[in-house]
Amino acid sequence: MAKKQESTSVETKIDARIPEGPLAEKWSNYKAHQKLVNPSNKRRLDIIVVGTGLAGASAAASMAEMGFNVLNFCIQDSPRRAHSIAAQGGINAAKNYQNDGDSVYRLFYDTIKGGDYRAREANVYRLAEVSNGIIDQCVAQGVPFAREYGGLLDNRSFGGAQVSRTFYAKGQTGQQLLLGAYSALSRQIGKGAVKLYSRYEMLDVVVIDGRARGIIARNLVTGKVERFFAHAVVVGSGGYGNTFFLSTNAMASNGSAAVQMYKKGAYFANPAYAQIHPTCIPVHGEFQSKLTLMSESLRNDGRIWTPKKKEDAEAIRAGKKRATDLSEDERDYYLERRYPAFGNLVPRDVASRAAKERCDAGYGVGNTGLAVYLDFSDAIKRLGENVVRARYGNLFQMYEKIVDDNPYKTPMMIYPAIHYTMGGIWVDYELQTSVKGLFCIGEANFSDHGANRLGASALMQGLADGYFVLPYTIQNYLADQIQVPRLSTDLPEFEEAEKAVNDKIKKLMSIQGKESVDHIHRKLGLIMWDFVGMGRNKAGLETALEKIKEVRKEFWTNVYIPGKEVDLNNELEKALRLADFIEIGELMARDALMREESCGGHFREEYQTPEGEALRNDEEFSFASCWKFTGEGNEPELLKEALDYEFIHRQQRNYKS
């Protein structure tokens, strides 16, 4: 039983270190007045970068190019296998190549509005401001973006926007962008400026005199636990969506690095904000361990519908009818009906809830009734199959391989699933956590997306942080660290951190219970999906907190981990991560229970408009919830960063007109 704190503090001042001045000038003013490190001094400074996805690889490559010594840690056997490779649809930027009214301000506004006015203004504007440079950088690296007939880069639309600003490479944009970042990283590895540690997992942060000075990492091949020093530590380890067990994330994606930072003093912000992606291949069976995303870009040309009549939906579920048997008049294009201005391109949280509502009302299709149709028949008639194949061919091929159905002939079946986490480690304007010298970038931090992320903005944020933001802001910290020598990893703080990691591993290995890691993780995932998923309420969240305690007890008393600790041991890896997923699951439920409003991906059923849309409470909840670790067995402390909007007027999100 967790020990309750005497009081929950809201007095601690959360300083986001946002520069003064007009919104459009903040980043320029910051760069003009920041501290710098001269070239000869950069060689004296070591930086650890954990992660080799778009954020980690771009940050490691950029800082090495600047002259810093970089140690880069990769959980996979190659940086090319980072989960960024799975991103399909595209990357946003405000270049306005389509001449359809886009601008930096409009991208900023769409991002703030899409996040339901729960993001920090200054960070979001900076993200929009540097977006164009990302495209130029990637083109220079040889990323093969799609081009239109005249030679300009092509664009397509994504949810939450009325302009075409998404640059893409078929349905494999993440892969192509990651190969670009990987080539930049490989160049620095070849020069000796980056030392790459493949198949290493960070298991703790080492803090000395209040500053991050290194990490403890486990060699996943040998099982050896090792110590590494640096003048600053940067974590770009991705999100924590796999807390739900079933998600679109890669199996190795985890929240362990975030939990280790949290337990060493970094605030965990907005953990409840998890994104449900509306276009995923539905669950096929109870033993499934991974869900597959179908790109949001498909909603450009695909139309989403369910049968108008329940009897037709029942006949389809029973196998007596097929989707192609229903005429246009018998189909309900419910997004187009409800949101005429945006249609199928409403933001992800809106589209996901709409699909759930239709299925809950009995109009769902597929064997389980938990699916809706994504139909390309209109696009094929209008454009021709060859054009559709050129735009989405690899996605259609992937769908057919998994489902054994030809989406050129029959509509795809889709259903919402856990995808991305907007919450994460709290960072200030400089991307520094509440622990000095500890920085967090990409999906691992909380900073730019508020309560809901617009499609094609994850790749934008990861590369913005790595290429264009952190290389500036980290100098502001390192300028005062030039005289700090390379500290010995024999210091007591390193010894204590390594001992704590080894003790945890020994404790896990000694349990030798009866249940596999996956069995317990699946239990946690079902609790999360049922009570902390698309629809949340007070009673359900309180139930979740009680059930998560039971899962924690079962895990620490009855998990079975085969093999040895000093060896390649995938089950031990999974167990260490599950211990952290349990902590994250509890934080998510606690945060969702505290936030008595609906906003973006956080939908409390008690707080909705008469039309069933998210109902915010700006008077009481216009803040980032920052959870502070107070010790094992204690409830965390809630701190609040007020979200004071100077340049934007909050209003109820409207995608109807």
Side-chain angles (χ1 to χ4, degrees), residues 35-37 45 474-482:
K35 297 176 183 176
L36 298 173
V37 180
L45 295 169
I474 199 168
Q475 290 188 78
N476 215 39
Y477 170 78
L478 289 173
D480 295 332
Q481 301 299 300
I482 296 165

Side-chain angles (χ1 to χ4, degrees), residues 17-34:
R17 304 180 71 182
I18 299 170
E20 298 291 333
L23 186 64
E25 297 176 16
K26 288 183 184 293
W27 182 230
S28 297
N29 287 343
Y30 176 89
K31 291 188 291 183
H33 298 97
Q34 68 167 102

Side-chain angles (χ1 to χ4, degrees), residues 343-359:
N344 294 294
L345 289 174
V346 291
R348 292 174 175 179
D349 62 311
V350 177
S352 295
R353 284 195 296 273
K356 181 178 186 295
E357 184 277 329
R358 287 289 81 193
C359 292

Side-chain angles (χ1 to χ4, degrees), residues 24-232:
E25 297 176 16
K26 288 183 184 293
W27 182 230
S28 297
N29 287 343
Y30 176 89
K31 291 188 291 183
H33 298 97
Q34 68 167 102
K35 297 176 183 176
L36 298 173
V37 180
N38 78 44
S40 60
N41 283 334
K42 286 172 184 166
R43 295 192 292 270
R44 299 163 57 183
L45 295 169
D46 299 339
I47 302 172
I48 283 174
V49 178
V50 178
T52 55
L54 286 182
S58 59
S62 298
M63 292 187 293
E65 179 73 30
M66 294 167 70
F68 295 107
N69 300 305
V70 178
L71 291 73
N72 195 192
F73 291 81
C74 173
I75 196 172
Q76 298 89 358
D77 55 356
S78 166
R80 289 173 297 176
R81 293 176 64 84
H83 185 54
S84 299
I85 202 171
Q88 299 167 342
I91 177 171
N92 288 331
K95 279 189 171 290
N96 194 28
Y97 279 170
Q98 303 296 317
N99 197 27
D100 56 2
D102 201 10
S103 65
V104 167
Y105 183 86
R106 191 174 291 276
L107 174 54
F108 154 72
Y109 178 78
D110 286 347
T111 305
I112 288 280
K113 177 184 174 184
D116 218 349
Y117 304 93
R118 288 293 178 263
R120 189 190 290 152
E121 267 188 332
N123 285 62
V124 177
Y125 193 90
R126 177 176 64 187
L127 176 65
E129 190 177 355
V130 304
S131 66
N132 293 341
I134 298 171
I135 303 303
D136 295 338
Q137 170 90 359
C138 294
V139 169
Q141 289 173 338
V143 173
F145 287 120
R147 294 181 181 268
E148 57 185 22
Y149 182 76
L152 283 178
L153 300 182
D154 198 11
N155 293 112
R156 55 190 178 200
S157 299
F158 257 63
Q162 290 180 302
V163 297
S164 294
R165 64 160 67 99
T166 304
F167 296 79
Y168 66 97
K170 279 195 173 181
Q172 48 187 238
T173 313
Q175 178 182 8
Q176 298 301 333
L177 291 171
L178 187 63
L179 289 172
Y182 175 67
S183 67
L185 177 63
S186 295
R187 178 171 179 267
Q188 298 305 319
I189 294 170
K191 289 172 58 180
V194 173
K195 186 168 184 182
L196 179 67
Y197 292 87
S198 295
R199 297 289 284 138
Y200 272 77
E201 182 168 15
M202 168 185 152
L203 294 182
D204 205 357
V205 183
V206 179
V207 178
I208 300 176
D209 295 331
R211 296 177 186 266
R213 292 300 189 196
I215 67 170
I216 304 298
R218 182 172 181 267
N219 183 321
L220 298 179
V221 177
T222 67
K224 183 180 179 183
V225 175
E226 302 178 31
R227 313 170 187 178
F228 299 90
F229 162 81
H231 293 88

